[in-house]
């Protein structure tokens, strides 16, 4: 029986993946469905290593990279992601596989068959290579990016990172709103910008928003333990911090202020 751990921050997605895995292979055992970096690190530190992990790239309190920073996974991994980023090519080469959300049954079945076809030695070898890759990426992180060129009509407008109030996704593209309330399309994904911007000044609030410290004007307690962040200039869409992300947000805001 294959023992599987699912790390997925969206409960419906976790339930759907559980049902799909057990539909494809009823002999599998789902050990747990975890929703955050913190709970994943704690669980993996205090339980036997599972046979296989399904790992969401973007979690409630950070990214899966932060798990690799803190512990050794020690078993094969299949990544899941809502973003078809070029960086995922490395995961496809060095992990067992990766699945693009929404996950289709035939794609999941292919990934499981790929896992079953690997002998244990090859699977663990891939995991060690992946962990080494993650470690090298952590050590080789570049300094925060300070300057950007953004397209505007027939020009390229030079901007500094300090010009950004917040960045969000609109109609499939990333739009940066400046402190003077002007907006520009940025030809990068939020994931790329999250990795490039200075984490002292910028915070990934959720899947749709990256906010700067300077734009935060008010923070309200919201339903189900979440926080509502109000900004200046204001956003037409609510900027919510999930319950799982609240401790991380508070620590970021208080310790780095």
């Amino acid at each position: 029986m294959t023992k599987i751990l699912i790390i997925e921050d969206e409960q419906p997605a976790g339930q759907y993946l559980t049902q799909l895995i057990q539909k494809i292979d009823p002999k599998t055992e789902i050990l747990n469905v975890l929703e955050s970096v913190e709970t994943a690190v704690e669980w993996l530190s205090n339980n036997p290593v599972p046979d296989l992990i399904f790992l969401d790239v973007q979690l409630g309190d950070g990214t899966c990279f932060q798990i690799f920073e803190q512990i050794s996974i020690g078993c094969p991994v299949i990544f899941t992601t809502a973003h078809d980023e070029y960086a995922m090519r490395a995961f496809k080469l060095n992990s067992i596989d990766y699945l693009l959300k929404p996950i289709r049954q035939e794609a999941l079945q292919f990934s499981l068959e790929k896992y079953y076809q690997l002998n244990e030695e090859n699977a663990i070898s891939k995991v060690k290579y992946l962990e080494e890759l993650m470690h090298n990426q952590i050590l080789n992180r570049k300094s925060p990016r300070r300057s950007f060129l953004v397209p505007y009509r027939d020009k390229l407008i030079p901007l500094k990172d300090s010009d950004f109030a917040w960045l969000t996704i609109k109609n499939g593209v990333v739009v940066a709103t400046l402190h003077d309330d002007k907006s520009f399309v940025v030809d990068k994904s939020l994931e790329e910008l999250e990795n490039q911007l200075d984490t002292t000044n910028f915070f990934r609030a959720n899947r749709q928003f990256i906010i700067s410290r300077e734009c935060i004007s008010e923070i309200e307690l919201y339903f189900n333990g979440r926080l509502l962040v109000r900004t200046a200039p204001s956003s037409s869409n609510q900027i919510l911090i999930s319950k799982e992300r609240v401790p991380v947000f508070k620590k970021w805001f208080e310790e780095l202020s």
Side-chain angles (χ1 to χ4, degrees):
M1 177 179 290
T2 303
K3 297 182 178 181
I4 295 175
L5 175 66
I6 296 174
I7 304 175
E8 163 63 62
D9 71 325
E10 295 181 349
Q11 189 175 18
Q15 292 174 345
Y16 172 74
L17 183 56
T18 297
Q19 294 168 0
L20 208 54
I21 291 171
Q22 294 182 326
K23 180 180 179 181
I24 293 170
D25 187 354
K27 294 181 180 179
T28 57
E29 178 186 355
I30 306 301
L31 299 173
N32 210 331
V33 180
L34 308 174
E35 299 182 354
S36 66
V37 172
E38 182 179 359
T39 56
V41 170
E42 181 180 359
W43 194 95
L44 288 165
S45 299
N46 294 286
N47 290 277
V49 178
D51 297 317
L52 177 65
I53 294 177
F54 282 83
L55 178 57
D56 189 10
V57 174
Q58 184 69 48
L59 298 169
D61 58 349
T63 67
C64 65
F65 304 112
Q66 293 168 275
I67 299 175
F68 285 93
E69 290 179 21
Q70 298 179 58
I71 58 170
S72 175
I73 295 289
C75 71
V77 174
I78 295 176
F79 289 93
T80 62
T81 177
H83 306 282
D84 191 12
E85 301 295 339
Y86 71 89
M88 295 308 297
R89 296 174 190 169
F91 298 149
K92 193 166 182 67
L93 290 172
N94 301 310
S95 65
I96 301 302
D97 206 352
Y98 87 94
L99 294 168
L100 188 63
K101 296 178 181 179
I103 296 172
R104 295 176 294 108
Q105 181 173 333
E106 56 269 29
L108 175 59
Q109 186 165 351
F110 178 84
S111 293
L112 285 172
E113 288 174 355
K114 186 175 177 181
Y115 162 71
Y116 293 143
Q117 288 171 4
L118 285 171
N119 61 46
E120 184 176 351
E121 183 178 351
N122 286 336
I124 297 302
S125 176
K126 276 180 172 285
V127 172
K128 289 181 178 178
Y129 187 90
L130 177 62
E131 291 184 340
E132 183 179 349
L133 176 69
M134 294 295 103
H135 181 67
N136 289 338
Q137 286 182 344
I138 292 163
L139 291 178
N140 295 325
R141 280 178 179 166
K142 297 180 179 178
S143 299
R145 185 172 176 177
R146 301 298 182 186
S147 300
F148 294 81
L149 289 174
V150 298
Y152 181 70
R153 296 179 181 174
D154 58 347
K155 301 178 182 178
L156 289 174
I157 307 296
L159 295 173
K160 296 179 180 179
D161 63 331
S162 57
D163 294 327
F164 297 145
W166 42 266
L167 304 101
T168 189
I169 299 176
K170 290 184 179 179
N171 300 319
V173 299
V174 174
V175 176
T177 296
L178 310 186
H179 291 290
D180 61 6
D181 209 13
K182 294 179 181 177
S183 294
F184 295 93
V185 172
V186 180
D187 58 350
K188 296 188 178 298
S189 69
L190 279 186
E191 283 68 33
E192 289 177 282
L193 290 165
E194 181 183 12
N195 290 328
Q196 293 177 2
L197 291 168
D198 188 349
T199 54
T200 302
N201 299 319
F202 291 91
F203 184 82
R204 182 70 180 266
N206 51 47
R207 293 183 186 272
Q208 287 76 41
F209 280 93
I210 295 176
I211 57 177
S212 72
R213 180 185 304 280
E214 287 73 19
C215 81
I216 298 174
S217 60
E218 194 173 68
I219 302 168
E220 294 182 12
L221 299 178
Y222 204 70
F223 300 110
N224 298 324
R226 294 176 292 173
L227 296 178
L228 172 63
V229 178
R230 298 195 183 278
T231 60
S234 61
S235 166
S236 57
N237 295 319
Q238 289 184 326
I239 303 176
L240 294 173
I241 310 292
S242 69
K243 181 179 179 180
E244 293 76 17
R245 293 278 285 165
V246 166
V248 182
F249 173 75
K250 287 182 176 179
K251 184 176 181 181
W252 169 79
F253 193 84
E254 293 173 351
E255 291 189 3
L256 297 177
S257 294

